[in-house]
Amino acid sequence: MGRTGQFWKTSSIISMAFALFLVVMAILVNTTSLNQQVWLRVLFGVSALNFTLRASVPLILGALSGILCERSGIINIGIEGMMLAGAFAAFVAKVATNSWPLPASLAVGVATALLVGGLMGLLHALLSIRFRMDQIISGTVIIILAAGFSAYLFDRSAVAEGKFGPVRIPLLADIPVLGSVLFENPPITYLALLLVVVIHVALFHTRWGLRTRAVGEHPRAADTVGINVNRYRYVNTVLGGMLAGLAGGFLVLEAVGQFQEGMTAGRGFISLAAMIFGNWNPFGALGAATLFGYTQALQNELLLAGVTQVPRQFISMLPYVVTIVAVSGFVGRVRPPAAEGKVYETEGSSE
Amino acid sequence: MNIPVWRRLGRAILIPVLALLTALAIGALVMAIFGDDPVRAYQGLFSGAFGNGRAWSTTIRKMTPLILTGLSVAVAFKAGLFNIGASGQFIIGTICSVAVGIHFEGLPAFVHLPLAIAAGIAGGTLWGALPGLLKVYTGAHEVIVTIMLNYVASLFAGWTVYAGGTQGQQPGPLWDPTAGAISETPDVLASAQIPWIVGPPYRVHWGVVLALLVAVVMWWLIYRTTVGFELRTVGQNARAARYAGMRVNGMIILAMALAGALAGLAGTIETLGLNHKFAPEFSGAVGFDGITVALLGQTHPLGVVLSAFMLGALDAGAARMQFESGVAADIIQVIQALVLAFVAAPTLIRTLYRVRRAPDEVETTTLTTGWAGR
């Protein structure tokens, strides 16, 4: 049974069904008189959906980062740190190029985020492959390092001027409800959605993808047929780092527009949960990220609408609690790549 | 094999010491690259940590919670679990001990203080046992669950002391009305405060002695009892432990509960001994520091005490360093991450210094090989 065969596992079905449900409800609520109901508007209004997508993008990118690394056998718990490093790098680059034309300056920001994210990925790969550090500890090192460096170097008076604005896709954007949610977004959002498809195709329909999965499932067998196990792991971890860096770039260049200390606020870890919940599949991760993004959007919407007597701290717990429920409810039913977390040594070599 | 004790000790501390020195050296390099003066920074760091009586008392004070959070992470490591949740357990311990500490007026100290400490331990235990239970019964990985619980704990604690106001929200149940718009609890009653060994301005309380005692107890528990043996066996090879008839699941829950209890106690001692109240900014990065302490101490209780002392000194000196040399205290976090990197990858240090590995030395820590299953 191939890995593609597991696409329709429980968690994938649930998260995709959830996404579908959201869309149907959104169309119903926003095009009929149902939008007179405050609660329904909070749950399914266009602004809730916009929030959902915006909150999902870093989770999608983070989860894709995790998928690339883990499919090749490297656990990446450091996504949070890579994201933060990417965010900080994007911010520094943006501030340094404030005087440039906005698109050029933003492009430099994105490139820097990718570069620094990739470097963090390389560090993770070096520590865990070359120096055989436990991959979870190596990830933790990256998290602390990113937090420390960004706090040490952060100039609180620096201001980034301008951020990515929405790009309207003609015709598609005219579709009621869905058009304004899906086809009027800033570029990194489109890129993230596109990457889901690209990585799915790459993983399951290319030679590279087959080899990556082989390396993550059975490195010995892969080695026997002449695949360089560690080279695949290095490449994938660096690519994964770049994706996480891009997620950070999204936060600074597209969502918030500025850098704040610790601004990733657990998104890297929630991405991991999305990856697990989505069964290490890009589309599964997309569904799960939407689910988690929705809880964050809900938090915003409930607070804005002021419809709740529940203290706001409890509403803010939603994404984290949902993550716990998701990983406890579904982990038993998903299967991580078999060789995950193990150092691979070629036969007969010891050091 | 009869290796003299001093040789064994020397071998055990060689890597951590080299790791620390290397991290400090790289830290200096980083400071130099970004235009800070490392010499002045380290002078400030040193005088802030050991320069005078006050500096020493700060070091001791900073070391106290680190011993306990370090033990918390270490005991989980022993059972093959990674407790990233020490900061959440710390916060819940704090909140529980404060809740008891500010109520029950009129109790004598010998009843009230132990009661408040017990409440803090109970809260931490609960917060630690939860990921253990989830791991055993659902397979949810403790790393993700403990991290999520950190955020939940911090939001929960924020709610308990919330001053109210915005959007018609009510103040939290532990909020101190006399604090005005500030979100914090009142001081715990005098009968629930841990007494000073040396009072202000030095501010060293008996909590440090308690923490040291706990370290000794943990050493005894891990290395001298059946439970400790089972714990370590589960950590080294869960499958073998299961074949040998050990209750692997029970050990996982126990280890996490114990880890939670220790981190909860850390929060309790910090509150009842020093802060005397809870304000959200007190929690800080103690939990993450616990990971560094545990690994630097090679997950041995004695090592944890030594490394807590080292990191406590770094923490204590940081403020003075920033004051005297203008170098942002956050560089300490970078140094800590480097320390963590070097102790967790002894190969790195060995390659760097060409230190050979002794033939009987076991090298790698392996925590997990995946997110599901065991």
Side-chain angles (χ1 to χ4, degrees):
Chain A
M1 187 179 65
R3 297 291 291 178
T4 342
Q6 299 196 352
F7 178 66
W8 292 112
K9 275 256 181 166
T10 337
S11 50
S12 303
I13 294 174
I14 287 192
S15 30
M16 297 306 267
F18 170 76
L20 192 69
F21 166 75
L22 261 190
V23 168
V24 171
M25 285 307 287
I27 292 173
L28 275 179
V29 168
N30 290 297
T31 53
T32 65
S33 61
L34 281 175
N35 66 9
Q36 303 298 312
Q37 307 282 327
V38 175
W39 268 102
L40 284 176
R41 211 165 56 228
V42 164
L43 290 174
F44 306 108
V46 168
S47 110
L49 297 188
N50 274 324
F51 258 131
T52 302
L53 186 58
R54 202 187 314 163
S56 304
V57 171
L59 305 182
I60 293 170
L61 291 169
L64 289 176
S65 161
I67 289 172
L68 281 188
C69 298
E70 302 210 350
R71 281 287 185 169
S72 72
I74 302 286
I75 291 180
N76 185 7
I77 197 193
I79 296 173
E80 176 86 5
M82 298 174 180
M83 231 185 237
L84 191 63
F88 184 65
F91 176 74
V92 171
K94 181 72 198 67
V95 169
T97 57
N98 264 340
S99 57
W100 298 13
L102 188 59
S105 162
L106 288 170
V108 171
V110 171
T112 318
L114 286 170
L115 177 73
V116 170
L119 285 176
M120 296 299 266
L122 182 64
L123 177 66
H124 182 50
L126 273 174
L127 289 178
S128 48
I129 299 170
R130 171 77 181 80
F131 296 106
R132 300 200 222 143
M133 191 188 290
D134 180 275
Q135 293 169 9
I136 293 220
I137 297 175
S138 163
T140 311
V141 167
I142 282 172
I143 294 166
I144 303 180
L145 207 57
F149 256 113
S150 58
Y152 169 61
L153 298 176
F154 183 33
D155 172 7
R156 280 161 195 78
S157 61
V159 176
E161 285 160 17
K163 56 175 186 172
F164 279 117
V167 178
R168 205 181 136 86
I169 297 184
L171 294 179
L172 286 175
D174 295 328
I175 304 171
V177 185
L178 284 188
S180 61
V181 174
L182 285 180
F183 302 109
E184 242 187 289
N185 285 302
I188 302 181
T189 305
Y190 291 126
L191 184 59
L193 295 175
L194 188 68
L195 279 170
V196 172
V197 181
V198 170
I199 291 179
H200 177 85
V201 172
L203 263 183
F204 297 109
H205 302 285
T206 67
R207 199 172 69 159
W208 172 84
L210 182 66
R211 292 187 165 185
T212 293
R213 286 178 293 137
V215 164
E217 289 293 337
H218 203 320
R220 177 77 65 213
D223 193 13
T224 312
V225 297
I227 299 171
N228 187 335
V229 173
N230 284 341
R231 188 198 293 156
Y232 269 81
R233 291 186 168 176
Y234 270 108
V235 169
N236 276 24
T237 312
V238 170
L239 287 177
M242 291 170 76
L243 285 174
L246 181 63
F250 165 85
L251 291 176
V252 165
L253 301 172
E254 195 163 299
V256 181
Q258 300 296 332
F259 181 81
Q260 290 141 17
E261 272 179 57
M263 75 184 300
T264 42
R267 285 186 183 87
F269 301 114
I270 298 181
S271 303
L272 271 181
M275 171 197 75
I276 296 172
F277 192 60
N279 198 16
W280 287 265
N281 271 307
F283 279 100
L286 171 67
T290 316
L291 178 65
F292 293 137
Y294 184 64
T295 58
Q296 292 184 4
L298 211 56
Q299 167 196 331
N300 267 318
E301 290 294 300
L302 288 171
L303 293 176
L304 281 179
V307 290
T308 172
Q309 299 308 306
V310 182
R312 65 181 175 89
Q313 291 86 354
F314 285 87
I315 298 173
S316 304
M317 283 177 201
L318 259 178
Y320 307 117
V321 173
V322 168
T323 304
I324 295 177
V325 172
V327 290
S328 5
F330 289 92
V331 156
R333 265 150 266 174
V334 296
R335 194 178 71 85
E340 203 177 66
K342 292 180 192 130
V343 180
Y344 179 71
E345 283 164 59
T346 5
E347 202 122 21
S349 84
S350 61
E351 185 78 355
Chain B
M1 246 186 295
N2 276 322
I3 309 163
V5 175
W6 61 268
R7 281 269 312 266
R8 273 193 358 226
L9 194 68
R11 197 195 272 169
I13 64 171
L14 180 65
I15 297 285
V17 168
L18 285 178
L20 192 67
L21 291 177
T22 317
L24 286 171
I26 296 182
L29 200 66
V30 169
M31 284 188 254
I33 289 173
F34 291 104
D36 286 324
D37 180 355
V39 177
R40 276 184 59 205
Y42 283 151
Q43 274 169 354
L45 189 70
F46 190 80
S47 67
F50 308 114
N52 51 34
R54 199 138 181 183
W56 273 97
S57 77
T58 316
T59 298
I60 292 171
R61 197 191 316 142
K62 296 276 185 189
M63 150 178 129
T64 308
L66 289 179
I67 295 176
L68 292 163
T69 50
L71 287 172
S72 164
V73 179
V75 74
F77 268 139
K78 284 287 176 210
L81 301 159
F82 193 14
N83 178 27
I84 309 198
S87 58
Q89 297 144 10
F90 182 96
I91 291 175
I92 295 295
T94 303
I95 284 294
C96 293
S97 62
V98 170
V100 172
I102 57 180
H103 293 114
F104 303 105
E105 220 160 321
L107 278 184
F110 70 89
V111 180
H112 197 186
L113 181 57
L115 200 64
I117 293 179
I121 295 176
T125 307
L126 191 78
W127 216 247
L130 189 59
L133 287 165
L134 286 177
K135 186 181 179 84
V136 165
Y137 290 110
T138 71
H141 200 278
E142 79 277 5
V143 166
I144 291 184
V145 176
T146 51
I147 289 167
M148 293 300 131
L149 285 177
N150 285 346
Y151 291 103
V152 174
S154 135
L155 285 164
F156 177 78
W159 166 70
T160 60
V161 298
Y162 182 52
T166 49
Q167 294 160 330
Q169 298 281 336
Q170 298 298 310
L174 294 179
W175 171 62
D176 177 11
T178 61
I182 300 168
S183 297
E184 62 179 32
T185 65
D187 279 9
V188 292
L189 300 171
S191 54
Q193 293 178 4
I194 297 173
W196 302 113
I197 302 177
V198 193
Y202 293 107
R203 300 200 302 157
V204 177
H205 56 85
W206 283 98
V208 65
V209 177
L210 186 56
L212 290 169
L213 279 177
V214 170
V216 174
V217 171
M218 288 311 295
W219 170 82
W220 172 79
L221 183 80
I222 293 174
Y223 292 105
R224 288 289 180 272
T225 66
T226 318
V227 172
F229 177 70
E230 286 189 45
L231 213 66
R232 284 181 290 137
T233 312
V234 169
Q236 274 153 18
N237 190 338
R239 189 167 295 168
R242 192 170 281 126
Y243 280 129
M246 293 175 184
R247 301 146 296 170
V248 174
N249 286 346
M251 283 300 135
I252 287 173
I253 298 170
L254 178 76
M256 283 308 294
L258 206 53
L262 289 163
L265 182 61
T268 304
I269 287 184
E270 189 76 343
T271 313
L272 301 180
L274 186 70
N275 300 330
H276 295 157
K277 65 183 169 194
F278 172 77
E281 70 267 20
F282 285 155
S283 37
V286 203
F288 264 97
D289 293 353
I291 299 168
T292 318
V293 170
L295 286 171
L296 186 60
Q298 314 218 324
T299 71
H300 189 289
L302 177 67
V304 164
V305 171
L306 288 176
S307 58
F309 176 71
M310 293 312 302
L311 291 199
L314 279 184
D315 263 2
R320 182 67 174 265
M321 177 192 77
Q322 180 157 2
F323 178 73
E324 279 190 2
S325 64
V327 177
D330 304 290
I331 190 71
I332 297 302
Q333 211 181 345
V334 175
I335 293 174
Q336 287 191 10
L338 293 169
V339 171
L340 183 57
F342 289 129
V343 286
T347 322
L348 205 62
I349 286 287
R350 290 190 193 285
T351 317
L352 221 54
Y353 294 95
R354 317 232 168 273
V355 184
R356 287 237 313 278
R357 169 165 36 170
D360 57 326
E361 239 170 322
V362 187
E363 191 84 305
T364 41
T365 341
T366 305
L367 286 170
T368 185
T369 50
W371 295 112
R374 288 178 293 280

